[in-house]
Amino acid sequence: MGKKLLILFLILFIYCFDGFSQRYNFEQYDIEDGLTQSQVTAITQDSKRRLWISTLGGLSCFNGKQFINYTKTSGLSSNFILSLAAGKNNEIWIGSARGLSKYNGNSFSNYADTKKWVNVLATDQNGIVYGLKGKRLINAEKDEPIAISNDTSEVVTALKTDYSGNIWVAIYGKGIYHLEKGKWLRSPLNDKIKDLIVTDILVDQLNVGKLWLLTPKGIYIAQNNIISKAYNEITTKCNSIAQDSKGSVWIGTNSGAYCITPTNLFHFNSNNGFTDNIVNEIFKDIENNIWLGTDGSGLFRFTNNSYVTFDETQGIDSRIVMSIANGPTPGTIWLGSYGGLYEYKQNQKIKSIKIPSENPDSYRINFLYNDHKGNVWIGTPGGGLWMHNGQRMERMDTEKEHVAYNAMIEDSSGTIWLSTSYGCLTFDVKSRKFNRVTKQFGGGLMELGRDSIVAGTQDGAWLIVNKKTITPLNIKGLSGSSILCMLKHKDYVLFGTADYGLLVWNVKTGTTRFINTKSGLASDHIYSILEDKRGTIWLGTGRGIDRINSKDFSIIQPNNQDELLVECNQNAILQHDNNVWIGTTKGVIVYGINPSSEKKVNPYIYINSINVSPNYKQEYVKGVLTLPYYHNHININYTGIYLSNPSAVMYKYRLIGLDNKYSQPSNNSSMNFTAIPPGKYTFEVKAVTKDGLSSVNTASVSFEILMPYYQTPIFKFFIIVFILLLILLAVYIILTLNERKRKLRLQIKLEEQFKIRKQTAEDFHDDLGNKLTRITVLSEVLGSMIDNDDTEKRNILKKIRCNVDELYNGTKDILWSLNPKNDSLSQVLNHIKDFGQEMVNETPILFKYDINLNNKDTKLSLDMSRNILMIFKESIHNALKHAKAKQINFEARLNNGMLLITLRDDGIGFDIEHAKDGHGMNNMYVRAKRINADLNITSNDKGTNVLLLVNFSTLKHFKNA
């Protein structure tokens, strides 16, 4: 149960609560809370800190907030479950009326059906589970009996695991044995124990060698070779025994439970917050909480808060406790409620105090006050002002006065001050007379100095000096506030207001400071205020109880278990011995003021499930959940286990890969992640409590969202290549279209040129031919008119005819070139050949030719064909005129894209350098350069060689030009 239980025992039990009246704090879980059935038989805890509870109606798993139940429909062999144990690999072993079953986290497996009950299970330090089946010890995994004393008829009556994980058994008629290092060791007290029927064993963890034995005859303690019966005041049957971390022993009986401390024995039953039912099982969990399984009332947890409660269950007719004061008898406390006046005395029941009045308002107590003489003053709302002097109760005012008495103080001079509905009054005890000082409706009262009283009202605070001078306290933030209580602390005055929280006023400097809900208080309604002897300031508020450090007025953060939602009442607060009593609308809450340090056990967290949307069968690669990009909606459920205070559990998480910082704590126990981008992630979550405890572990899950195919590097590479290809294709198409357009334009141009050339040739032929024919006819007419003897005129006429013939022959070449059908290379070469043959006709010169184009004819431009023709006509003319050759050879070859045209003669040759001075050879070189051809002329006494070399691509270029 831990240090918290020790705090409660040492602070509350030892000092003032030795067994009577107070109600202890138990948290009950029954079928209404989700427990499968109310008859609890066994409790165990797994590695995730979940509690497993067996009942006579099935099995329950509890995470602190909810139950998950399993029955025969879930796979169990029987709902009549008697025992539980946690084994290896987080397995849960179940003993029932049908033998053994095992739960592996997903499904149940049942051993051979048998009618022998398995009513006890225990796990050793190695995770091996033992059980009692038919009064024989068995190994659960093998489901086989184990012989301890070599007696096959031995009857094992008890089975238990000690704090070290050793197995202990009790054998009827033989005694106690324990398993250590594989051997069964016999207790030296067996001769004294063997006649006892031991039903449960406890090995004391603080006292070496001390054994606690439960028997039908009562409790026995074995130690130092002595066995003795103990705690004879426990007369009911004892069923189970456990020990908390500080050594207190808990015993479950047929009538509630007992807790045994070194100094006290406490009986928990229906009178103080527990139950009178049978307690079958007591279990201490990892957080040192004590759990009690009952037969009919379900499951209880001892909520080890540092307070106890007094309410109707202890005899107070009304739980609205309006006032608290020390009683007139030493050691007593008086409680004033709207149901009357009560007295509490240690170890006694709360009793009612009679007020001698028939007026029901006399039993509605507004305040209780102790004066310096020990008298108790009682103020009521219209039922009178009363005083008890330790002997008798006496009314101090008259029955005619119907005043609501709200508060009272006695100043240092002994004057009684009363805050009432009639204003602030002073009261003279001897004369029984009142003196009205102020008219404002009264709240709290406080003595500021020897002659100064501060009266709290619904409209700020008023300073009363010498019982006469009345001035409002003009303190920043106080004017207009409803003042319910006040406290003077050194140089400060603390005002508890009904709307702005706590106002702290420095009397010397005049500075003020508000402490309210924004600062961390439970409420801005401050009903009561007190400074205990340790210097801690206690505040009773409208939504709980707060504590403040008086050194710096900082709020002391409460333990999770101490956070109590109650509405306190005005001025209902008292320090008695080492406890603070606070009146609330739910009874009196009593706290200890000497809390000791305690080691807290941190919570634990685990991941419940991972759901992927849309529905997707999860696949793990090396422990990493791998998901395609279109399944990137993930829901992760997790649970934090903090059985000490489940409502205090919050969670903070982070998703490594997106954000490495933890989120702010929240109550959400699941997280949804939508549209997660591709990548590797690790989700981590921690459980934290409101007072800052973080889980001992971090629950995590790793997952990877795969990239879509269109984001992979290969796909991107292919996309880039594809785009480049598209660009190249676009460029190619553009260039092709441009080329087509250019060719189309060229074709149109060529066709136009073709038409023009053809028309020009026809027109030129017709026109020039007609003119030349007419000249010829006219010359013939003229010749007929000239005498034959007139040789001079006839010679002139002959020259005219020769010029006409030469002009006609020259025009034939022009007309031939203009005709588009003669634009091919073969036509040009054949025309040169025909020209050569024609020129040597009627001469002894032999003209030979050899033309071989390898069937690769091509179109030539007009300029190209004209220049080639003129170069070789000039060469043939020169060979006929000057070379005196006997043979002329004309050759044309097309090899490897080069056109070679050669004209050779076997004449006498000529001087090339001298010939360059003439126009004929220069014209040949000029024409060759014009068509980007190489012209090479060589000549000697053996003949002349003219070579024209033309690149075939040049021909095409000129063809397209």
Side-chain angles (χ1 to χ4, degrees), residues 99-120:
L100 279 170
S101 298
K102 182 172 63 175
Y103 181 68
N104 62 7
N106 296 309
S107 61
F108 291 92
S109 57
N110 301 309
Y111 282 63
D113 191 9
T114 177
K115 293 183 179 180
K116 292 183 178 180
W117 292 10
V118 178
N119 56 349
V120 183

Side-chain angles (χ1 to χ4, degrees), residues 371-385:
D371 64 17
H372 73 283
K373 295 180 179 180
N375 300 318
V376 180
W377 292 74
I378 303 103
T380 69
L385 177 66

Side-chain angles (χ1 to χ4, degrees), residues 739-769:
E739 181 65 17
R740 286 182 180 179
K741 291 179 180 179
R742 189 186 70 80
K743 288 182 178 180
L744 181 60
R745 290 194 298 269
L746 179 61
Q747 184 179 359
I748 295 172
K749 181 179 178 181
L750 290 175
E751 289 177 354
E752 291 295 329
Q753 289 178 353
F754 180 85
K755 292 177 180 179
I756 293 172
R757 286 171 58 190
K758 185 176 180 181
Q759 185 66 41
T760 301
E762 291 176 353
D763 294 344
F764 186 75
H765 178 272
D766 293 342
D767 190 31
L768 184 60

Side-chain angles (χ1 to χ4, degrees), residues 160 200 214 238-242 250-253 279-282:
K160 199 65 168 281
D200 205 353
L214 300 187
C238 299
N239 303 311
S240 58
I241 186 168
W250 290 72
I251 298 174
T253 74
V279 177
N280 291 320
E281 174 79 341
I282 298 180

